[in-house]
């Protein structure tokens, strides 16, 4: 059931894997994510979520990147697997 | 350039004159640079910017070939200051071979840049780095197949171990234009239309050669939404074209969903993407990476404690905070230790010489120029060597170490939440911490910040409210002698720091940058290469010797002249005014004023005066918040321009005086 729901990247927990559906932010933000290889359809894994609306660290392929909370919240995702599933 | 057939490819006649090393951040470009040019490289600022670029010479087959190491860039449409420098190096022409360093562990993302470079029509060689790491992750890359698809030579490398570098050097005569990608028909139609427009305004003939194919320019225009001044500098004719296109969009004659190119977009529906070339290039880069790579990523998601790598541990926020704190603490202690050591050593080593010089100076009549020169020059030279030099060098080594291991970006992520209150990204912590050692290298470290606004905030905080080690020494020594209230001194400094940061962060918000769009790549951890760290520090230090040292010596002479000539004594005459306003005597105020020109002189003056505890507290607070020392002021002008630098300095002065006023009222 949760596999269908559209979430924000900030709703995910460390260890969760998800597929990016869309990025609801301006061109500049989309470009910066695109440069890191994050576009709709990309699979990302949450590595860490810093407290108090701190940055979210994600893994894309073998790359790790930190996204500020504001940006991370604009990334809409579909959860594929939850921490501990594997 | 000459056109040669394949069998002539190895002839020296085809050797390039200028090579540009281009690659994304953290792909090992600097190691390749080091291997190509050895120790002959030097760091300089790219003209008109504060971006460091490294240039060196490769001697091959009896030819001297210039090698430019460009700042790491994800794409050719990036907006940050240093990434734009890479675009400019390539746009301005003169580069006749690109060595594109590609990270084998992130092939898809790296190929995005490669595909853009292929559009430029400059011969290219792809250096496929970190094949060992890719292999250990289970990725096998078919080099031959990649060569066929891209149409350029691909040289596998393990740059850190030196594997493949020989092959790379011997292949520099074999660079090829390669096969640029084709986009979907819809996008190609737009490109073709733009090309025709471009050819109208920049005809191929008319005495001026167009060094870029109209296709590259067309794609470039499609991918830049803001007016691209760099491009207009090279092709002023394009400005008119772009402006007329923008007018058409503005007039509503064409759709406004995408940027200027969409004026001709055949798919004028509501859902078409705003930057089709970028998205299609991403898809093609992924497809190529998929075709040439076998084996998958087997790395597991961190779940339990076992099987966690050091990286996984460092990613845990609490661990990150502790490690960052320890690193900062250690760095500060190390810098303090080295500075103390140098202080003793340099004074020990130079005291006989100084005595001799003093005795020599005594032979000249009082106030003569020769005597002045003899006393002031050593002052101007000893201080940089005993304080500034060791601080800068230690900090450069530490920075190099943190950069090379990949710890630095992790620290930035950990502290981002904290610094975002000041409206600056996590990277700002580095210069701020460095500032407690010596502010000169800290000013230079602000170059790693992504935008001018963050740099402005951090530089203001640095110049005003971060006491460097030398200032701290003044604070403690004067406070001890006169029993000043250290709690007040530090409390005031902390309050000023917080107030300034919060105010600036709030006032300067809203440029679209800052915490809202913080993106930072976190590279894998690796052992630092000592030679790399050493080389970088040494290159950065040479800048200090060439630019800062002569200046300090000069300033020292001028200051001596002012002091010994009694030109500053008018300040003492202000006694009645200063004691009313700030509660300090005229002489004390003179010492405070002295910091405007040279902070280090303040304690000498202050220690020779009979101060009360209250006076000392106020004076020290004012000194510690006053303007930065001369080298830092000079660097500020160099980094931010005269106007901004003057603003920062005046603000610092104002705050210092304000603090004096307030303390005089508040303190019992």
């Amino acid at each position: 059931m949760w596999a269908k729901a559209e979430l924000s990247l900030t709703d995910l927990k460390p260890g969760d894997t998800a597929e990016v559906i869309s990025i609801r932010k301006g061109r500049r933000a989309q470009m910066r994510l695109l440069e890191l290889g994050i576009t709709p359809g990309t699979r990302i894994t949450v590595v860490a979520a810093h407290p108090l609306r701190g940055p979210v660290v994600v893994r894309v392929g073998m790359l790790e990147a930190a996204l500020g909370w504001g940006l991370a919240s604009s990334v809409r995702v579909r959860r594929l697997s939850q921490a501990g599933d594997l | 350039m000459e056109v040669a057939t394949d069998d002539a490819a190895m002839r020296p006649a085809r050797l390039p004159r200028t090579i540009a090393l281009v690659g994304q951040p953290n792909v090992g470009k600097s190691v390749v640079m080091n291997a190509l040019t050895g120790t002959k490289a030097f760091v300089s600022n790219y003209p008109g910017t504060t971006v460091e670029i490294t240039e060196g010479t490769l001697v091959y087959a009896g030819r001297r070939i210039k090698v430019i190491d460009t700042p790491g860039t994800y794409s050719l449409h990036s907006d940050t200051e240093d990434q734009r420098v890479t675009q400019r190096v390539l746009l301005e022409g003169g580069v006749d071979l690109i060595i594109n360093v590609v990270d084998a562990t992130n092939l898809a993302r790296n190929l995005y840049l490669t595909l853009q470079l292929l559009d430029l029509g400059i011969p290219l060689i792809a250096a496929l780095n970190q094949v060992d790491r890719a292999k250990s992750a289970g990725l096998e890359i078919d080099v031959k197949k990649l060569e066929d698809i891209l149409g350029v030579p691909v040289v596998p490398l393990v740059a850190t171990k030196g594997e493949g570098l020989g092959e790379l050097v011997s292949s520099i005569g074999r660079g090829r234009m390669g096969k640029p990608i084709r986009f979907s028909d819809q996008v190609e139609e737009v490109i073709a239309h733009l090309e025709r427009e471009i050819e109208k305004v920049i005809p191929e003939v008319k005495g001026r050669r167009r060094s870029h194919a109209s296709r590259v320019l067309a794609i470039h225009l499609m991918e830049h939404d803001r007016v691209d001044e760099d491009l207009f500098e090279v092709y002023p004719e394009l400005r008119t074209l772009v402006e007329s296109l923008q007018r058409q969009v503005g007039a509503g004659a064409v759709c406004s969903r995408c940027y200027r190119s969409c004026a001709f977009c055949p798919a004028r529906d509501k859902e078409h993407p705003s930057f089709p070339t970028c998205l299609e290039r991403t898809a093609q880069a992924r497809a190529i990476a998929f075709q040439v790579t076998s084996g998958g990523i087997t790395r597991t998601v961190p779940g339990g404690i076992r099987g966690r790598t050091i990286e996984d541990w460092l990613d845990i926020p609490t661990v990150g905070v502790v490690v960052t704190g320890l690193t900062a603490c250690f760095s500060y202690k190390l810098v303090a230790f080295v500075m103390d050591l140098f202080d003793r050593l340099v004074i020990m080593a130079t005291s006989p010489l100084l005595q001799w010089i003093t005795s020599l100076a005594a032979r000249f009549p009082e106030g003569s120029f020769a005597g002045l020169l003899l006393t002031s020059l050593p002052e101007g030279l000893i201080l940089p060597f005993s304080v500034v030099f060791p601080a800068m060098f230690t900090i450069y080594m530490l920075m190099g170490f943190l950069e090379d291991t990949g710890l630095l970006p992790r620290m930035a992520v950990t502290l981002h939440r904290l610094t975002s209150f000041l409206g600056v990204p996590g990277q700002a912590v580095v210069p701020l911490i460095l500032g407690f050692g010596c502010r000169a290298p800290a000013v230079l470290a602000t170059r790693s910040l992504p935008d001018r606004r963050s740099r402005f905030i951090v530089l203001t905080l640095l110049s005003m409210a971060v006491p460097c080690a030398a200032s701290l020494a003044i604070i403690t020594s004067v406070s001890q002698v006169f029993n000043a209230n250290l709690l007040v001194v530090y409390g005031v400094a902390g309050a000023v720091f917080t107030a300034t940061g919060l105010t600036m962060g709030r006032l300067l918000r809203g440029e679209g940058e800052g915490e809202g769009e913080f993106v930072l790549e976190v590279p894998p951890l690796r052992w630092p290469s000592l030679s790399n760290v050493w080389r970088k520090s040494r290159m950065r230090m040479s800048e200090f010797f060439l630019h800062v040292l002569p200046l300090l010596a000069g300033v020292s002479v001028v200051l001596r002249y002012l002091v010994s000539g009694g030109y500053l004594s008018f300040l003492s005459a202000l006694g009645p005014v200063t004691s009313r306003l700030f509660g300090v005597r005229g002489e004390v105020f003179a010492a405070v004023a002295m910091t405007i020109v040279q902070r280090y002189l303040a304690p000498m003056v202050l220690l020779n005066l009979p101060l009360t505890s209250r006076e000392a507290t106020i004076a020290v607070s004012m000194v510690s918040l006053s303007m930065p020392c001369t080298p830092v002021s000079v660097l500020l002008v160099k980094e931010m321009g005269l106007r901004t630098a003057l603003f920062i300095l005046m603000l610092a002065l104002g705050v210092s005086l304000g603090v004096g006023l307030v303390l005089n009222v508040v303190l019992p």
Side-chain angles (χ1 to χ4, degrees):
Chain A
M1 333 140 254
W2 42 260
K4 293 253 160 52
E6 193 180 310
L7 300 166
S8 154
L9 184 51
T10 44
D11 297 330
L12 301 180
K13 301 260 170 312
D16 288 358
T17 298
E19 184 188 324
V20 176
I21 300 169
S22 62
I23 295 151
R24 300 198 173 161
K25 204 132 197 190
R27 191 199 101 105
R28 196 193 177 96
Q30 292 198 30
M31 282 290 200
R32 287 177 91 164
L33 290 177
L34 180 135
E35 287 171 353
L36 292 172
I38 302 174
T39 53
T42 312
R43 255 173 195 239
I44 54 179
T45 302
V46 176
V47 175
H50 285 256
L52 305 170
R53 298 194 161 192
V56 179
V57 183
V58 296
R59 183 173 297 139
V60 191
M62 281 184 74
L63 159 110
E64 265 183 34
L67 314 180
W69 197 89
L71 183 57
S73 63
S74 75
V75 178
R76 307 299 296 177
V77 296
R78 176 168 42 236
R79 183 149 49 196
L80 300 174
S81 70
Q82 252 170 321
D85 272 7
L86 291 182
Chain B
M1 208 180 67
E2 282 175 54
V3 180
T5 51
D6 266 350
D7 49 81
M10 292 306 288
R11 246 191 269 149
R14 263 204 61 173
L15 284 180
R17 280 200 203 113
T18 307
I19 300 177
L21 274 180
V22 184
Q24 296 194 342
N26 307 311
V27 292
K29 241 164 10 79
S30 57
V31 186
V32 175
M33 179 71 189
N34 199 1
L36 291 181
T37 61
T39 51
K40 287 183 211 81
F42 59 94
V43 174
S44 61
N45 286 359
Y46 188 76
T49 69
T50 54
V51 177
E52 281 180 4
I53 57 170
T54 314
E55 267 182 47
T57 308
L58 163 69
V59 180
Y60 180 70
R63 294 274 198 100
R64 293 172 65 80
I65 300 164
K66 185 163 132 187
V67 186
I68 307 171
D69 186 10
T70 60
T73 183
Y74 290 108
S75 68
L76 295 183
H77 46 64
S78 282
D79 275 349
T80 61
E81 199 186 4
D82 50 346
Q83 303 197 9
R84 279 175 61 192
V85 164
T86 304
Q87 297 164 43
R88 278 174 63 176
V89 168
L90 297 172
L91 271 180
E92 276 164 7
V95 172
D96 46 17
L97 176 70
I98 295 172
I99 294 181
N100 175 210
V101 184
V102 174
D103 178 359
T105 63
N106 275 308
L107 197 55
R109 198 195 70 189
N110 277 257
L111 284 177
Y112 183 89
L113 178 62
T114 310
L115 293 179
Q116 271 195 315
L117 293 172
L118 285 181
D119 283 338
L120 291 175
I122 300 172
L124 186 138
I125 294 172
L128 188 64
N129 196 20
Q130 308 202 48
V131 282
D132 57 335
R133 273 193 67 233
K135 204 168 274 179
S136 64
L139 296 167
E140 200 74 50
I141 293 164
D142 188 339
V143 172
K144 187 79 200 44
K145 204 164 173 182
L146 189 57
E147 280 186 335
D148 285 345
I149 295 174
L150 299 176
V152 298
V154 177
V155 184
L157 288 186
V158 184
T160 45
K161 293 180 191 149
E163 289 169 29
L165 289 169
E167 288 84 339
L168 181 65
V169 172
S170 59
S171 71
I172 57 167
R174 295 197 295 120
R176 302 283 296 269
M177 304 277 205
K179 305 173 190 161
I181 53 166
R182 271 193 69 78
F183 296 100
S184 66
D185 291 346
Q186 281 187 354
V187 173
E188 286 292 342
E189 225 173 280
V190 181
I191 294 174
H193 185 101
L194 273 178
E195 272 188 68
R196 282 193 296 277
E197 295 290 317
I198 289 166
E199 274 154 25
K200 265 187 237 160
V201 289
I202 317 178
E204 189 84 47
V205 279
K206 290 281 176 206
R208 203 166 138 262
R209 201 175 67 88
R210 193 170 66 229
S211 57
H212 297 91
S214 43
R215 181 181 171 83
V216 193
L217 296 178
I219 297 173
H220 193 91
L221 287 185
M222 291 178 75
E223 292 173 357
H224 284 255
D225 62 334
R226 79 195 150 71
V227 177
D228 189 354
E229 293 297 335
D230 295 340
L231 188 67
F232 293 159
E233 233 167 74
V234 189
Y235 298 104
E237 298 92 337
L238 287 182
R239 186 189 295 272
T240 356
L241 173 63
V242 168
E243 280 166 2
S244 97
L245 289 176
Q246 278 175 334
R247 261 199 307 279
Q248 291 182 51
V249 176
V254 285
C255 89
S256 56
R257 264 292 291 172
C258 60
Y259 300 92
R260 56 189 82 100
S261 59
C262 84
F264 319 100
C265 183
R268 222 184 287 168
D269 59 74
K270 284 208 163 70
E271 288 307 309
H272 76 260
S274 42
F275 34 90
T277 47
C278 304
L279 283 178
E280 287 188 19
R281 193 181 292 117
T282 312
Q284 295 213 22
R286 273 195 194 146
I288 297 174
F290 183 74
Q291 280 177 57
V292 299
T293 312
S294 51
I297 298 151
T298 48
R299 192 170 169 180
T300 51
V301 180
I305 287 178
R306 266 177 303 153
R308 276 202 176 186
T309 61
I310 303 172
E311 285 160 23
D312 296 333
W313 275 105
L314 278 173
D315 282 333
I316 303 170
T318 39
V319 177
V321 169
V322 171
V323 170
T324 307
L326 288 176
T327 313
C329 183
F330 170 77
S331 308
Y332 180 71
K333 289 249 164 168
L334 185 70
V335 172
F337 170 77
V338 173
M339 283 174 75
D340 186 50
L341 190 76
F342 262 76
D343 201 26
R344 284 160 206 247
L345 280 179
V346 169
I347 288 182
M348 209 159 66
T350 52
S351 62
L353 183 71
L354 275 182
Q355 273 166 11
W356 180 73
I357 289 177
T358 319
S359 66
L360 197 67
R363 284 191 221 157
F364 291 96
E366 182 79 19
S368 78
F369 187 68
L372 189 76
L373 209 62
L374 273 173
T375 35
S376 58
L377 263 185
E379 273 177 7
L381 289 173
I382 285 177
L383 184 79
F385 271 103
S386 62
V387 180
V388 187
F389 169 78
M392 282 180 99
F393 194 71
T394 319
I395 284 164
Y396 278 149
M397 289 291 280
L398 274 170
M399 282 274 288
F401 176 80
L402 291 177
E403 274 170 11
D404 225 46
T405 48
L407 276 171
L408 203 58
R410 287 182 167 74
M411 291 168 67
V413 173
T414 307
L415 293 164
H416 175 72
R417 187 69 204 105
L418 205 62
T419 57
S420 64
F421 286 115
L422 310 177
V424 294
Q427 290 99 305
V429 180
V430 176
L432 288 177
I433 293 176
L434 292 185
F436 284 95
C438 177
R439 280 183 280 205
V443 169
L444 301 178
T446 60
R447 288 176 182 179
S448 63
L449 295 175
D451 54 288
R452 198 180 152 84
R453 175 184 154 280
S454 324
R455 294 191 72 201
F456 180 48
I457 297 178
V458 173
L459 283 174
T460 309
L461 288 174
L462 262 182
S463 326
M464 193 161 75
V466 174
C468 65
S471 312
L472 284 170
I474 298 174
I475 294 172
T476 41
S477 63
V478 176
S479 303
Q480 270 166 7
V481 172
F482 300 110
N483 199 21
N485 193 338
L486 270 178
L487 207 66
V488 172
V489 175
Y490 286 129
V492 166
V496 167
F497 181 93
T498 319
T500 313
L502 289 179
T503 316
M504 292 189 81
R506 213 147 287 270
L507 284 182
L508 297 172
R509 207 176 281 277
E511 269 182 47
E513 276 286 343
E515 50 109 29
E517 288 181 15
F518 173 70
V519 177
L520 185 66
E521 187 185 340
V522 186
L525 285 178
R526 56 180 162 230
W527 287 109
S529 144
L530 264 183
S531 66
N532 204 13
V533 172
W534 168 251
R535 201 178 74 104
K536 241 195 252 175
S537 315
R538 214 201 48 208
M539 286 196 301
R540 285 170 175 169
M541 279 315 289
S542 65
E543 194 181 319
F544 168 75
F545 279 104
L546 288 175
H547 303 295
V548 183
L549 206 56
L551 199 95
L552 277 181
V555 167
S556 172
V557 173
V558 173
L559 277 177
R560 257 292 142 183
Y561 179 71
L562 289 176
V563 173
S564 68
Y567 291 98
L568 297 177
S569 56
F570 74 94
L571 285 166
S572 332
L574 293 173
V577 184
T578 61
S579 45
R580 164 160 283 176
L581 283 179
F582 309 117
V584 295
R585 256 164 288 167
E587 292 90 341
V588 182
F589 187 71
V592 176
M594 199 90 82
T595 60
I596 297 166
V597 276
Q598 182 59 283
R599 190 180 288 260
Y600 308 101
L601 291 176
M604 292 186 228
V605 184
L606 284 178
L607 289 172
N608 290 324
L609 295 167
L611 293 177
T612 65
S613 161
R614 187 173 184 271
E615 268 185 322
T617 309
I618 296 176
V620 169
S621 299
M622 286 176 79
V623 170
S624 69
L625 286 169
S626 185
M627 301 187 350
C629 62
T630 330
V632 170
S633 309
V634 171
L635 284 174
L636 274 180
V637 175
K638 269 181 74 179
E639 295 294 303
M640 298 299 280
L642 190 63
R643 278 183 56 178
T644 314
L646 275 180
F647 174 82
I648 295 178
L649 295 178
M650 285 304 118
L651 189 68
L653 189 64
V655 166
S656 174
L657 295 177
V659 161
L661 279 174
V662 171
L663 282 183
N664 188 33
V665 174
V666 173
L667 285 184

